[in-house]
Amino acid sequence: MKILVVEDEIKLADYLAKGLAEEGFVVDVAHNGVDGLHLASELDYDLIVLDGMLPGIDGLAVLAALRQTKQTPVLMLTARGQVEDRVRGLQEGADDYLVKPFAFSELVARLHVLLRRSNGASGTSAPQAAAEATTLRLEDLELDLIRRRATRAGQRLELTAKEFSLLSLLLRRQGEVLSRTELASQVWDMNFDSETNVVEVAVRRLRVKLDLPFGRTLLHTVRGMGYVLESRTL
Ligand code: CA
């Protein structure tokens, strides 16, 4: 999952970048509206965290310009008391907002809700979506995104940060075949290079923890295409 953080306060931007990377996101940072708009327009992000008050072009102007071409989900950061900015932000097409100062865990929870929503889970009310979006499931496999805990048949799976990211991506897009190239770029932030087998190695390790002890395979190889996480009845 790729995320762009547009925030001019260097300390806050660094803090967010580090925290989100630890949560398994691939993070880019822009420190002003011009760079932010450029990156957001040129590259494909899954999410954008956009500060409202930026030097040069402010957050609302960045949002308005971006919405001419892209519908990337945007969470806006606003200062306490700036109710009008919030209203305008939502009118300009922000998908959610958080008032500073905020708890990092709340930001992460909101981002997962936006991801879930943009991946096509519609028809649920916002509070329902908020509760559901933090847990991903397939059969007896459960991923708690906030606590970063994976369990299968009630047993805890001890995953590394990358394994957790890989599994959450596969689970979020269950039933869909994901190529090695896509996994490499989404989970490792690298362009696929035929010399490297990092994805295969990670998948192999993940299988030993995820499938081997449980006798029922959820993670399947699709020859020549990639990997898919799904229920199969054979
Ligand atoms: Ca600011």
Side-chain angles (χ1 to χ4, degrees):
M1 295 286 118
K2 289 200 174 193
I3 188 161
L4 172 65
V5 173
V6 188
E7 168 60 71
D8 61 308
E9 287 164 56
I10 306 283
K11 266 192 180 170
L12 179 57
D14 287 352
Y15 168 75
L16 292 178
K18 190 162 170 278
L20 291 169
E22 283 169 2
E23 292 291 324
F25 290 100
V26 172
V27 190
D28 283 346
V29 176
H31 291 124
N32 60 64
V34 177
D35 291 349
L37 181 56
H38 176 74
L39 285 171
S41 310
E42 293 298 313
L43 302 175
D44 285 323
Y45 293 99
D46 297 291
L47 289 168
I48 298 171
V49 175
L50 178 62
D51 185 29
M53 302 268 278
L54 294 166
I57 319 178
D58 77 2
L60 285 170
V62 169
L63 180 62
L66 179 69
R67 282 288 176 260
Q68 306 288 323
T69 54
K70 285 200 172 177
Q71 295 307 316
T72 315
V74 171
L75 182 143
M76 286 208 72
L77 303 177
T78 65
R80 191 172 291 284
Q82 291 177 317
V83 180
E84 277 173 28
D85 275 7
R86 248 167 276 155
V87 172
R88 267 199 61 204
L90 294 171
Q91 283 170 346
E92 296 284 6
D95 299 274
D96 199 0
Y97 67 85
L98 260 183
V99 178
K100 290 179 178 178
F102 52 83
F104 183 73
S105 57
E106 179 164 19
L107 174 68
V108 172
R110 301 280 194 99
L111 293 176
H112 283 301
V113 171
L114 290 181
L115 271 180
R116 169 62 70 95
R117 214 191 278 161
S118 74
N119 285 335
S122 57
T124 43
S125 70
Q128 235 182 330
E132 284 169 9
T134 56
T135 307
L136 301 173
R137 289 187 185 84
L138 176 66
E139 293 191 4
D140 56 356
L141 170 66
E142 253 189 47
L143 243 69
D144 181 331
L145 298 171
I146 301 303
R147 293 183 190 83
R148 292 188 68 71
R149 211 164 60 180
T151 57
R152 185 154 179 200
Q155 289 180 49
R156 179 83 179 260
L157 309 179
E158 297 295 339
L159 304 180
T160 64
K162 285 297 179 199
E163 287 165 354
F164 192 91
S165 295
L166 178 62
L167 184 56
S168 66
L169 178 62
L170 286 160
L171 194 51
R172 194 176 275 124
R173 293 172 59 181
Q174 55 187 268
E176 190 180 334
V177 180
L178 300 176
S179 69
R180 288 175 185 81
T181 310
E182 174 154 20
L183 293 172
S185 84
Q186 294 271 340
V187 178
W188 284 269
D189 195 17
M190 38 183 244
N191 294 315
F192 188 67
D193 161 357
S194 57
E195 297 300 308
T196 176
N197 61 348
V198 61
V199 177
E200 278 154 72
V201 170
V203 165
R204 203 177 308 141
R205 290 201 176 126
L206 180 57
R207 278 187 165 137
V208 170
K209 299 175 183 178
L210 172 74
D211 281 337
L212 208 61
F214 301 95
R216 182 168 160 75
T217 303
L218 294 177
L219 178 50
H220 307 272
T221 303
V222 181
R223 206 167 288 278
M225 290 179 69
Y227 303 99
V228 60
L229 196 76
E230 66 183 0
S231 295
R232 284 187 185 175
T233 41
L234 289 174

